[in-house]
Amino acid sequence: MAIVDTLVDAVAANPALTVILVVLLALVFGGYLFVRRIVVNAAEGYDQGRR
């Protein structure tokens, strides 16, 4: 429980930092999904091209 209390205190003390971290995490996750989609579609395209 001490970790949760520390996290709640950090969020309450630095809301701007929390927003920045959430935005950065969203960008990283979105970038991952974007790159994954490109790779999967490229692999499907190569497979269709071989047939």
Side-chain angles (χ1 to χ4, degrees):
M1 266 331 247
I3 294 173
V4 174
D5 291 336
T6 303
L7 185 61
V8 169
D9 290 340
V11 169
N14 302 312
L17 180 62
T18 304
V19 170
I20 291 170
L21 287 175
V22 168
V23 168
L24 285 174
L25 283 173
L27 287 173
V28 168
F29 184 66
Y32 163 75
L33 291 177
F34 182 70
V35 170
R36 181 179 175 269
R37 186 171 120 189
I38 290 173
V39 170
V40 167
N41 286 339
E44 288 176 0
Y46 288 136
D47 289 342
Q48 287 179 0
R50 277 191 239 157
R51 291 184 210 164

